[in-house]
C-alpha cells in the first residue's frame, strides 16, 4: 500500500469513528428523557418513536396476580394494579411492597423505550389494602365533618402511606352522590348532597398536591400520588340503589346532581377519572361517547386519562364478555384511555391491535390516548424517578396519621338522641364510676369498625390489623378505678347479677363492598337488635352504630337512652371515646337523611315527600367537659 492509499484508509477510519461517536451521542440524548425539555417537546419526541404495539401496551392495565417482570417487558404493559385485597403476601411489609412494585417497574424500564409503568390501588380510606396502614373513616363519615381541610390532610397522609409501599396512583376519591342508601357503596359517598360532595374534592389536592395552573393534571412529585375521581357518571343515582344499575334521570338532574364534583375535580387537576359500571337511561357509561368524550374531554377540557373500571368494558354487553371485540371498540371509541383489563390482557391487546389495524379505531384516537397517559407519567416525574426506595416506609401507619384519623373520627360522629328526655342527657359519660358494660358485635372488632375495602375487598372480621377497638378505647378512656366489663351479647341473668352504671352497645352492619352491600331492608342483623333490646331493657344505654349508611332504628329507638351514628370509623377507635366521655363535644351533622322506613326510599333533602326520622343536617351537640 502506497503512502497515498494509507492516508485514504486513515481518513475513512476517522470518518467511521466520528459517525459512530455522533450516533452514540444521539442514542444518549433522547429528548423525552430530558426533564429540562418542555412537556410538549418530551411528549412529541416520545410519541414519534412509539410503535402501535408500544402504544397499546400503555393502554393496558393488568392485575398484579397475573403480572411479572418478564410479561410486562414482553407485552410492553403500561400499568399494573392491586385489586381489592391483592397483596404481595399476607401482612406484607412496606419493603415487600416496594420490592414487588420495583420488580414490575424494572420490567417496564428494560423495554426499548423504557417507559415507566404506573401502579394503581384502591386507597379509599387510607392505604386500606395494606397491613398496619392507618385506616381513616369511610367517606360517609367524612361528609358529616363538613371539613374540607381535614379531608385534604387525609389525602396528604394517604399519599405518603401509598408512597411508603412504592405505589404512585390511588383510585380515589369516590365522588358519587349516593341518592339511595340501599346502594351497597353508599359509604363510599360523602353525601346525598352535591354541595358536600363538591367540597370534599379537596381530597384530590391532598393526594396530588396543589396545582398552580387550574384544570391541568398535576402530581407534585415523590410525596404525592395521582388521584382518580370515580365513578363517572351517576353511580350513586341508580334505580333502587342497585349497584352497577341504571340511573334514570333527565339530563338537567344528572348534570345538577352528579356532574358538579367532576367539574371541581378537573379544575383541581385530577390526573385520572374512572368510568362507572352503571348506565344512564339505559346506556352503559363505559360506552357513552357523549358524556366521556364530548362532555368530559371537550367541554370540561379534562386533559388527564380516563380509566375503565375492573372488567368494565366487558360489562358493556349483557352477559358480560359476550362480545369482547365489540366491548373494546365501544369503550375506546367512547373515550376510555386506559383499560383495567385486568386479567386476560393478551385478549385485550390482540383485540385492540386488530381493531386499529383494520381502522375500526382510528390511529388519531390511539395517539390521543397515549398522549394523555404519558402526560400524567411525565407530569408526576415518573421518568425521573421510576423506582421507589425504602426511605418512605416509615410513613405507613405513622403516629401523626393515626392522630389525624382519630380527630376525623371525632368529627364524623352524629349524636341522634341524648337522654329519654332532653333535660336528662346521658352524654357525655362520666369517666369515674364503679362499673360499666361494653356489649355488641362491633365493640371489639377492628375489621367491623373499618368496613369493606379493608385488607380484603369485602373487609374482614376480627382484630386483623393495627388499631384500637372501641372496647380498648373505653378501657383507655375511663378512670383506672372504673371497672369495664365486656360481654358481646349478655343474657338477662348476667345483666341482673351485675350492677352496671351504664352500658355502651356497639352494633351495626357487617363489612361489605359493592354489590354484596346492596340491601332492600337496611336492617342491622341479629344479634344486634336483641343486644339492644336486652341491655337497654335493664341498663341505661348508649348505642353506637357502626354502619355504612342510615339503617332501620325506629323499632327500638324508644328503648335507647342515647344513640350515636359512628359510620365506619376505621382503626382509631379512640376518636369515638374522646367524644363519648366528653374530652370533645359532638359536632357532626348528618350528611344523609335518616329515613323512618325503607318504603320511603329514595328520599333526599328537598324532596316533596320528605318525612325523615332525622333530617339532613341534624345532629345534637354536647360541650367538652375538659378543655383540651
Ligand atoms: C370498583 C372500583 C375499583 C376497582 C379496582 C372495581 O370493582 O368499582 O371502584 O377502583 O374495582 O379495585
Ligand atoms: C377485586 C376488586 C374488584 C372486583 C370487581 C374483585 O375480585 O378484588 O378489586 O373491584 O373484583 O368485581
Amino acid at each position: 500500500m502506497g503512502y497515498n492509499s494509507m492516508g485514504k484508509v486513515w481518513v475513512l477510519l476517522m470518518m467511521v469513528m466520528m459517525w459512530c461517536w455522533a450516533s452514540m451521542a444521539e442514542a444518549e440524548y433522547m429528548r423525552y428523557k430530558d426533564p429540562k425539555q418542555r412537556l410538549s417537546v418530551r411528549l412529541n419526541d416520545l410519541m414519534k418513536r412509539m410503535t402501535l404495539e408500544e402504544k397499546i401496551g400503555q393502554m393496558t392495565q393488568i392485575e398484579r396476580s397475573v403480572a411479572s417482570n418478564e410479561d410486562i417487558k414482553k407485552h410492553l404493559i403500561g400499568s399494573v394494579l392491586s385489586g381489592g385485597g391483592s397483596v404481595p403476601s399476607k401482612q406484607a411489609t412496606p419493603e415487600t411492597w416496594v420490592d414487588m412494585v420495583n420488580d414490575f417497574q424494572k420490567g417496564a424500564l428494560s423495554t426499548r423505550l423504557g417507559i415507566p409503568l404506573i401502579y394503581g390501588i384502591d386507597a379509599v380510606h387510607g392505604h386500606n389494602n395494606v397491613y398496619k396502614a392507618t385506616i381513616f373513616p369511610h367517606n360517609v363519615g367524612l361528609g358529616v365533618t363538613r371539613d374540607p381541610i381535614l379531608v385534604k390532610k387525609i389525602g396528604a397522609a394517604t399519599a405518603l402511606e401509598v408512597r411508603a409501599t412504592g405505589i404512585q396512583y390511588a383510585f380515589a376519591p369516590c365522588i358519587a352522590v349516593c341518592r339511595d342508601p340501599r346502594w351497597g357503596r353508599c359509604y363510599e359517598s360523602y353525601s346525598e348532597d352535591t354541595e358536600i360532595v363538591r367540597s370534599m374534592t379537596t381530597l384530590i389536592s391532598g393526594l396530588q398536591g396543589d396545582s398552580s395552573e387550574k384544570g391541568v393534571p398535576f402530581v407534585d412529585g415523590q410525596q404525592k400520588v395521582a388521584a382518580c375521581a370515580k365513578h363517572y357518571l351517576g353511580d350513586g343515582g341508580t334505580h333502587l340503589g342497585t349497584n352497577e344499575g341504571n340511573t334514570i334521570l333527565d339530563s338537567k338532574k344528572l348534570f345538577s346532581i352528579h356532574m358538579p364534583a367532576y367539574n371541581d375535580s378537573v379544575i383541581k387537576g385530577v390526573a385520572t377519572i374512572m368510568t362507572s359500571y352503571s348506565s344512564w337511561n339505559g346506556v352503559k357509561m363505559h360506552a357513552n361517547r357523549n358524556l366521556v368524550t364530548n362532555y368530559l374531554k371537550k367541554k370540561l377540557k379534562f386533559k388527564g386519562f380516563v380509566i375503565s373500571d375492573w372488567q368494565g368494558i366487558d360489562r358493556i354487553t349483557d352477559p358480560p364478555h359476550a362480545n369482547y371485540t365489540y366491548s373494546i371498540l365501544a369503550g375506546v371509541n367512547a373515550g376510555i384511555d386506559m383499560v383495567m383489563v385486568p386479567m386476560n390482557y393478551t385478549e385485550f391487546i390482540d383485540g385492540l391491535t386488530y381493531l386499529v389495524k383494520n381502522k375500526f379505531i382510528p390511529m388519531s384516537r390511539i395517539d390521543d390516548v397515549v398522549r394523555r397517559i404519558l402526560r400524567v407519567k411525565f407530569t408526576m416525574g415518573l421518568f425521573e424517578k421510576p423506582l421507589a426506595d425504602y426511605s418512605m416506609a416509615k410513613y405507613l401507619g405513622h403516629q401523626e396519621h393515626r392522630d389525624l384519623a382519630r380527630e376525623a373520627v371525632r368529627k364524623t360522629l352524629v349524636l341522634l338522641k341524648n337522654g329519654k328526655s332532653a333535660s336528662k342527657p346521658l352524654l357525655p359519660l362520666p369517666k369515674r364510676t364503679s362499673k360499666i358494660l361494653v356489649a355488641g358485635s362491633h365493640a371489639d372488632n377492628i375489621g367491623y369498625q373499618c368496613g369493606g375495602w379493608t385488607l380484603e375487598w369485602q373487609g374482614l372480621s376480627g382484630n386483623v390489623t393495627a388499631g384500637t377497638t372501641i372496647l380498648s378505647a373505653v378501657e383507655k378512656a375511663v378512670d383506672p378505678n372504673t371497672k369495664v366489663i365486656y360481654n358481646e351479647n349478655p343474657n338477662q341473668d348476667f345483666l341482673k347479677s351485675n350492677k352496671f352504671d351504664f352500658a355502651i352497645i356497639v352494633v351495626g352492619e357487617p363489612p361489605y363492598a359493592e354489590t354484596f352491600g346492596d340491601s332492600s331492608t337496611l336492617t342491622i342483623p341479629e344479634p344486634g337488635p336483641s343486644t339492644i333490646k336486652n341491655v337497654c331493657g335493664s341498663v341505661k344505654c348508649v348505642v353506637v352504630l357502626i354502619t355504612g349508611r342510615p339503617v332501620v332504628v325506629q323499632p327500638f329507638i324508644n328503648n335507647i337512652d342515647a344513640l350515636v351514628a359512628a359510620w365506619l370509623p376505621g382503626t382509631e377507635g379512640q376518636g369515638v371515646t374522646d367524644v363519648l366521655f366528653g374530652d370533645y363535644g359532638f359536632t357532626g351533622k348528618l350528611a344523609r337523611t335518616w329515613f323512618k322506613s325503607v318504603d320511603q326510599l329514595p328520599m333526599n333533602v328537598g324532596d316533596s315527600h320528605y318525612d325523615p326520622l332525622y333530617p339532613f343536617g341534624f345532629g345534637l351537640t354536647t360541650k367538652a367537659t375538659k378543655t383540651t
Side-chain angles (χ1 to χ4, degrees):
M1 218 185 275
Y3 184 75
N4 214 5
S5 49
M6 275 279 283
K8 270 187 192 150
V9 168
W10 182 240
V11 168
L12 214 71
L13 211 72
M14 286 289 284
M15 274 167 70
V16 168
M17 272 175 65
M18 271 167 72
W19 178 81
C20 278
W21 180 78
S23 62
M24 258 169 64
E26 193 174 307
E28 266 167 32
Y29 184 70
M30 297 213 253
R31 280 218 163 108
Y32 74 93
K33 290 196 170 167
D34 181 355
K36 288 198 280 296
Q37 293 289 348
R38 287 209 326 272
L39 174 67
S40 59
V41 174
R42 299 182 78 182
L43 268 174
N44 290 337
D45 180 62
L46 179 51
M47 297 272 302
K48 257 193 347 232
R49 299 172 192 266
M50 290 172 79
T51 63
L52 176 62
E53 213 190 344
E54 283 160 339
K55 290 177 180 174
I56 287 176
Q58 286 302 306
M59 298 173 69
T60 311
Q61 186 179 63
I62 71 174
E63 219 286 329
R64 59 150 284 288
S65 57
V66 298
S68 71
N69 175 298
E70 297 76 35
D71 287 333
I72 288 165
K73 180 172 184 193
K74 180 162 168 224
H75 300 283
L76 304 155
I77 298 300
S79 184
V80 179
L81 91 147
S82 273
S86 184
V87 299
S89 60
K90 234 182 155 214
Q91 307 194 341
T93 61
E95 288 81 2
T96 303
W97 279 93
V98 167
D99 290 346
M100 174 194 72
V101 176
N102 279 350
D103 182 46
F104 292 152
Q105 189 65 289
K106 284 175 191 157
L109 296 177
S110 67
T111 56
R112 186 177 73 98
L113 295 169
I115 304 173
L117 62 78
I118 182 167
Y119 195 107
I121 195 162
D122 294 286
V124 297
H125 59 143
H127 197 8
N128 47 70
N129 286 298
V130 177
Y131 181 60
K132 284 190 172 168
T134 310
I135 304 299
F136 292 90
H138 267 298
N139 291 353
V140 66
L142 296 180
V144 164
T145 69
R146 309 289 201 278
D147 191 342
I149 296 171
L150 172 77
V151 168
K152 183 176 173 183
K153 288 184 193 157
I154 291 175
T158 303
L160 289 174
E161 299 212 11
V162 171
R163 284 286 190 173
T165 57
I167 294 174
Q168 320 94 353
Y169 178 19
F171 304 129
C174 175
I175 54 170
V177 183
C178 169
R179 302 290 285 175
D180 192 324
R182 290 173 292 187
W183 186 33
R185 307 189 76 161
C186 202
Y187 66 81
E188 296 186 57
S189 163
Y190 294 107
S191 178
E192 72 194 37
D193 174 63
T194 301
E195 291 310 308
I196 292 182
V197 175
R198 294 184 66 180
S199 70
M200 297 304 171
T201 54
T202 50
L203 191 92
I204 295 167
S205 316
L207 289 170
Q208 300 190 343
D210 281 303
S211 164
S212 51
E213 203 184 341
K214 280 202 164 84
V216 184
F218 176 78
V219 182
D220 198 7
Q222 305 311 313
Q223 312 254 310
K224 297 290 177 185
V225 296
C228 177
K230 69 187 189 184
H231 311 78
Y232 185 83
L233 178 74
D235 51 350
T238 59
H239 184 56
L240 305 177
T242 304
N243 190 43
E244 307 187 14
N246 187 18
T247 296
I248 308 166
L249 275 185
D250 59 41
S251 62
K252 204 172 148 217
K253 285 232 171 79
L254 182 82
F255 279 81
S256 65
I257 297 173
H258 299 283
M259 189 65 89
Y262 284 94
N263 202 353
D264 298 322
S265 303
V266 171
I267 291 170
K268 290 195 167 81
V270 74
T272 80
I273 291 178
M274 189 186 294
T275 42
S276 178
Y277 287 131
S278 59
S279 303
W280 176 46
N281 293 339
V283 178
K284 296 272 181 176
M285 279 308 306
H286 276 74
N288 195 323
R289 184 176 165 87
N290 220 359
L291 284 175
V292 178
T293 296
N294 296 344
Y295 199 84
L296 184 61
K297 291 181 174 176
K298 294 197 175 143
K299 184 98 201 294
L300 296 187
K301 301 198 163 53
F302 174 59
K303 297 264 185 305
F305 66 82
V306 172
I307 185 168
S308 83
D309 204 335
W310 174 288
Q311 295 173 345
I313 63 166
D314 306 47
R315 296 179 204 180
I316 289 173
T317 59
D318 187 21
H321 207 83
N323 185 345
Y324 197 56
T325 311
Y326 171 75
S327 279
I328 301 170
L329 177 70
V332 173
N333 276 344
I336 290 167
D337 301 309
M338 183 180 281
V339 175
M340 192 186 288
V341 180
M343 307 311 260
N344 195 353
Y345 56 87
T346 50
E347 184 188 19
F348 171 73
I349 291 172
D350 293 347
L352 182 52
T353 307
Y354 166 85
L355 287 166
V356 179
K357 285 201 167 145
N358 291 282
K359 304 207 158 45
F360 291 105
I361 296 176
M363 203 52 210
S364 57
R365 174 77 261 272
I366 302 300
D367 285 339
D368 170 56
V369 166
V370 178
R371 193 170 284 277
R372 288 168 179 277
I373 294 170
L374 293 177
R375 173 190 294 275
V376 170
K377 289 186 176 180
F378 276 124
T379 302
M380 62 194 294
L382 255 189
F383 283 77
E384 283 66 63
K385 196 166 184 309
L387 293 167
D389 55 38
Y390 299 154
S391 65
M392 291 184 70
K394 59 175 187 265
Y395 288 119
L396 191 88
H398 200 277
Q399 188 55 45
E400 268 176 42
H401 300 169
R402 295 194 183 278
D403 294 344
L404 178 65
R406 181 171 170 175
E407 175 192 349
V409 173
R410 293 196 285 264
K411 294 178 174 172
T412 61
L413 306 177
V414 183
L415 181 56
L416 297 171
K417 177 174 180 177
N418 192 11
K420 288 218 162 106
S421 76
S423 59
K424 283 194 190 139
L426 177 62
L427 301 177
L429 300 167
K431 289 184 178 174
R432 185 199 285 263
T433 170
S434 53
K435 205 199 283 181
I436 66 181
L437 170 67
V438 176
S441 48
H442 290 54
D444 189 28
N445 196 319
I446 289 271
Y448 278 13
Q449 224 170 273
C450 293
W453 295 109
T454 311
L455 298 170
E456 295 283 351
W457 180 35
Q458 294 298 319
L460 286 172
S461 174
N463 293 332
V464 288
T465 190
T468 309
T469 66
I470 295 174
L471 171 64
S472 44
V474 171
E475 285 162 345
K476 287 182 186 175
V478 296
D479 187 272
N481 297 315
T482 304
K483 263 214 193 90
V484 178
I485 309 289
Y486 170 61
N487 187 324
E488 192 174 323
N489 191 18
N491 60 27
Q492 287 305 327
D493 292 344
F494 178 85
L495 290 163
K496 288 209 180 91
S497 61
N498 279 281
K499 273 183 77 103
F500 294 112
D501 298 306
F502 56 83
I504 299 170
I505 304 168
V506 192
V507 291
E509 294 182 312
Y512 51 78
E514 300 189 51
T515 308
F516 293 91
D518 283 2
S519 165
S520 55
T521 58
L522 293 179
T523 50
I524 59 171
E526 284 295 343
S530 337
T531 311
I532 295 177
K533 193 161 161 261
N534 292 341
V535 178
C536 297
S538 47
V539 187
K540 233 187 276 168
C541 74
V542 48
V543 172
V544 177
L545 288 175
I546 304 291
T547 63
R549 49 197 161 185
V551 291
V552 174
V553 295
Q554 213 186 16
F556 37 78
I557 188 70
N558 288 330
N559 310 330
I560 296 176
D561 296 280
L563 180 63
V564 175
W567 316 107
L568 299 168
T571 47
E572 304 316 303
Q574 287 179 92
V576 175
T577 49
D578 284 344
V579 183
L580 285 183
F581 289 96
D583 288 344
Y584 293 81
F586 278 92
T587 54
K589 304 285 178 209
L590 285 180
R592 304 207 59 82
T593 296
W594 205 293
F595 59 89
K596 289 177 177 159
S597 63
V598 280
D599 50 31
Q600 296 178 301
L601 300 174
M603 178 174 66
N604 293 291
V605 59
D607 286 353
S608 54
H609 69 293
Y610 203 64
D611 178 27
L613 185 60
Y614 303 109
F616 174 88
F618 181 80
L620 302 171
T621 55
T622 58
K623 288 222 162 56
T625 48
K626 129 179 166 212
T627 40
T628 36

